[in-house]
């Protein structure tokens, strides 16, 4: 059962899933595997870097960095990407 009109809403549209939806940013400790960060919901129309600029980058302490995939390229002082 789809929500009336939501599945086609352009602001929330995900090209990956070909429908509208919500996304979350989840951070996992690379040493323990524990979830250390949950951020969202965000509309699927936002890319990873836009989402991280909403809260993650500001939450990192001086000298602290996050490690992420290439979707986060553009904040090289705060986010290490491959």
């Amino acid at each position: 059962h789809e929500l009336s009109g939501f599945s086609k809403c352009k602001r929330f549209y995900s090209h990956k899933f070909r429908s509208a939806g919500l996304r979350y940013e989840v951070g996992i400790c690379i040493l323990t595997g524990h979830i250390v960060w949950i951020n969202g919901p965000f509309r699927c129309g936002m890319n990873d870097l836009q989402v991280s600029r909403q809260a993650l980058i500001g939450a990192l302490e001086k000298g602290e960095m996050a490690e992420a995939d290439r979707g986060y390229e553009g904040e090289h002082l705060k986010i290490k990407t491959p």
Side-chain angles (χ1 to χ4, degrees), residues 8 10 12-16 21-22 24-26 32 34-35 46-47 58-59 61 64-66 72 78 82:
K8 293 182 176 42
K10 289 182 181 180
F12 291 82
Y13 191 79
S14 167
H15 292 280
K16 182 177 181 179
L22 298 172
Y24 292 83
E25 183 176 56
V26 179
T32 65
H34 295 150
I35 295 173
M46 294 179 73
N47 65 44
E61 296 179 10
E64 187 176 29
M65 291 186 76
Y72 288 82
K78 293 287 187 174

Side-chain angles (χ1 to χ4, degrees), residues 23-80:
R23 63 183 300 158
Y24 292 83
E25 183 176 56
V26 179
I28 300 171
C29 176
I30 59 175
L31 297 175
T32 65
H34 295 150
I35 295 173
V36 296
W37 176 264
I38 298 175
N39 190 21
F42 295 95
R43 57 184 173 84
C44 279
M46 294 179 73
N47 65 44
D48 293 338
L49 192 55
Q50 291 171 321
V51 168
S52 70
R53 287 177 174 156
Q54 295 284 324
L56 175 63
I57 291 172
L60 294 172
E61 296 179 10
K62 186 177 180 178
E64 187 176 29
M65 291 186 76
E67 189 166 339
D69 63 31
R70 291 186 187 267
Y72 288 82
E73 287 179 342
E75 290 286 347
H76 68 278
L77 297 177
K78 293 287 187 174
I79 300 177
K80 180 182 176 186

